[in-house]
Amino acid sequence: YRGYPIEQLAENSTYLEVAYLLLNGELPKADELAVWEKTIGSHAMVHESVRQFLDGFRWGSHTMGMLVSVLGAKSTFYPDSRNISSPELMELHTARLVSKVATVAALCYRHSRGLPYIYPDASLGFCENFLNMLFNSPNTKYEPNPILVKALEVLFILHADHEQNCSTSTMRGIGSSLADPYSSTAGAAAALYGPLHGGANEAVLKMLMEIGDVKNVPSYIERVKSREVLLQGFGHRVYKHYDPRASIVKQTANEVFEVTGRNSLIDIAMELERIALEDDFFVSRKLYPNVDFYSGIIYQAMGLPVDMYPVLFAIPRTAGWLAQWKEMMHD
Ligand code: CMC
């Protein structure tokens, strides 16, 4: 990102620092970070009527479908976002989106489960607040485990941006008509939804559950090779080698399991990887695990439902989309 190796950022930075880096070209100094964190915290509330129109969605609706709709609807709350003529307005709506996407994502999750909504808490860090909005409850106090907060920071950092992929191109395509950034972000999120892109983490989990046992891995690999199914979480348009983000995710999985207990699906995933990396079908096509191969296993261990996985991709990618949109608008 902006010349920094991803490993270095995952090790030393928070997601909000990385979002600042993507949007501004350099990591924030201490005073800049303090202002940025405060700004993001101050924008985290959403208008109460968002809750009302969320109520129009069926109970159990897919959270990504709701997120796409609510992001688009947000443009109606900010009419001046349709006329991004000043750098100040661009900055304002960028900060709003980076912040509010997490609140909206949490509201979608709570609605889909029929749970009462939890308001954002500006005294918490971005990821801590997000976990709090997901899991706190009026009758049982939730305290996010710092190791899980750190894991989420790392996953958000890894997912924050990645070149001119499907959703980023959509952001730029819609933004090029001078549509407001809420509508462009909704379009980008819709592009992310598909299983070949940000929906892959959800597809991986479903695949692992379908395989069900390590002993069934060889027969699944045969189905992939006969082109009956895809090996979800493998292959990448840019990487024709091991995706550097996948190595970090794998390492993060072990740290999360120390807290949550081991997710047995990782054994199936590791066996799929072992066989695939030795098999000429995958080797000759340069197919390696990508960022989504192990991320769903972590999210599941953290207690997050499968339909939230693309949403968890969309939250940090919003910073990347906006950085690309901003670059295009300035160009
Ligand atoms: N399983 C089985 N075969 C595959 C896979 C896979 N996951 N990915 C590619 N191939 C085969 C493909 O059939 C083709 O074979 P052939 O040349 O014999 O026709 C060859 O490998 C090259 O495929 P391609 O479609 O030209 O590769 P691409 O670089 O255009 O596609 C991809 C990239 C990510 C769409 C694809 O690898 C894929 O569908 N992967 C599974 C979905 C996935 O994990 N997506 C997440 C991507 S990373 C996160 C993100 O950015 O969203």
Side-chain angles (χ1 to χ4, degrees):
Y1 295 155
R2 301 281 200 169
Y4 287 89
I6 193 74
E7 294 83 0
Q8 186 181 321
L9 295 168
E11 176 96 22
N12 302 319
S13 304
T14 63
Y15 161 66
L16 274 192
E17 285 175 281
V18 170
Y20 185 100
L21 167 69
L22 292 170
L23 289 160
N24 299 291
E26 197 40 83
L27 282 166
K29 297 189 181 66
D31 54 338
E32 292 165 333
L33 180 61
V35 172
W36 175 237
E37 286 175 340
K38 199 167 172 216
T39 305
I40 296 302
S42 72
H43 286 306
M45 296 289 288
V46 293
H47 195 284
E48 283 292 294
S49 60
V50 170
R51 296 172 47 159
Q52 284 158 24
F53 61 73
L54 266 179
D55 284 345
F57 285 102
R58 201 178 147 259
W59 181 85
S61 297
H62 198 292
T63 46
M64 190 66 172
M66 287 193 272
L67 181 79
V68 168
S69 312
V70 177
L71 284 173
K74 289 300 285 175
S75 75
T76 63
F77 291 80
Y78 306 114
D80 62 358
S81 70
R82 298 193 63 212
N83 180 21
I84 309 285
S85 51
S86 77
E88 289 76 22
L89 275 178
M90 278 184 83
E91 295 301 322
L92 173 65
H93 293 296
T94 293
R96 278 187 172 143
L97 268 160
V98 168
S99 178
K100 288 181 200 301
V101 68
T103 310
V104 172
L107 288 176
C108 293
Y109 167 72
R110 302 288 297 196
H111 176 77
S112 75
R113 266 66 191 169
L115 296 166
Y117 299 130
I118 303 289
Y119 286 105
D121 180 345
S123 71
L124 303 176
F126 187 86
C127 289
E128 199 178 3
N129 173 52
F130 179 60
L131 286 173
N132 190 59
M133 289 190 290
L134 289 180
F135 295 128
N136 212 338
S137 160
N139 68 344
T140 12
K141 179 108 183 86
Y142 170 76
E143 279 177 22
N145 183 299
I147 294 175
L148 302 187
V149 174
K150 172 65 185 161
L152 197 60
E153 297 276 2
V154 170
L155 288 167
F156 278 8
I157 289 168
L158 298 181
H159 285 89
D161 193 34
H162 206 279
E163 299 191 5
Q164 305 309 309
N165 52 69
C166 176
S167 57
T168 302
S169 308
T170 305
M171 181 82 187
R172 283 177 174 259
I174 299 177
S176 70
S177 75
L178 305 186
D180 69 86
Y182 300 92
S183 301
S184 302
T185 304
L192 188 76
Y193 198 171
L196 297 191
H197 192 8
N201 48 16
E202 183 179 2
V204 169
L205 236 280
K206 287 181 176 158
M207 171 186 77
L208 295 176
M209 291 192 289
E210 183 195 328
I211 295 172
D213 196 291
V214 171
K215 72 175 181 345
N216 301 327
V217 167
S219 58
Y220 191 85
I221 293 280
E222 287 311 311
R223 288 175 67 202
V224 174
K225 287 162 67 175
S226 63
R227 302 190 183 269
E228 198 188 318
V229 286
L230 277 179
L231 181 50
Q232 298 294 347
F234 256 67
H236 196 275
R237 183 70 269 183
V238 176
Y239 296 124
K240 299 302 169 196
H241 49 78
Y242 208 103
D243 182 337
R245 302 169 300 173
S247 319
I248 305 173
V249 179
K250 207 169 159 185
Q251 188 185 320
T252 305
N254 291 323
E255 289 158 21
V256 167
F257 295 161
E258 295 282 317
V259 179
T260 60
R262 192 175 167 80
N263 183 343
S264 59
L265 290 181
I266 194 144
D267 298 326
I268 300 173
M270 285 170 67
E271 182 64 0
L272 277 171
E273 179 184 334
R274 189 188 69 73
I275 297 185
L277 295 188
E278 287 173 356
D279 191 302
D280 189 55
F281 178 93
F282 301 92
V283 174
S284 63
R285 290 173 177 78
K286 298 185 170 56
L287 299 172
Y288 294 89
N290 60 51
V291 68
D292 286 324
F293 193 62
Y294 288 103
S295 61
I297 298 174
I298 300 183
Y299 290 141
Q300 193 185 49
M302 289 169 75
L304 288 154
V306 177
D307 67 312
M308 274 296 280
Y309 301 172
V311 172
L312 290 157
F313 195 150
I315 295 169
R317 187 54 64 90
T318 298
W321 291 328
L322 288 160
Q324 304 256 357
W325 170 76
K326 190 172 154 182
E327 179 183 79
M328 178 186 71
M329 298 299 274
H330 285 313
D331 282 350

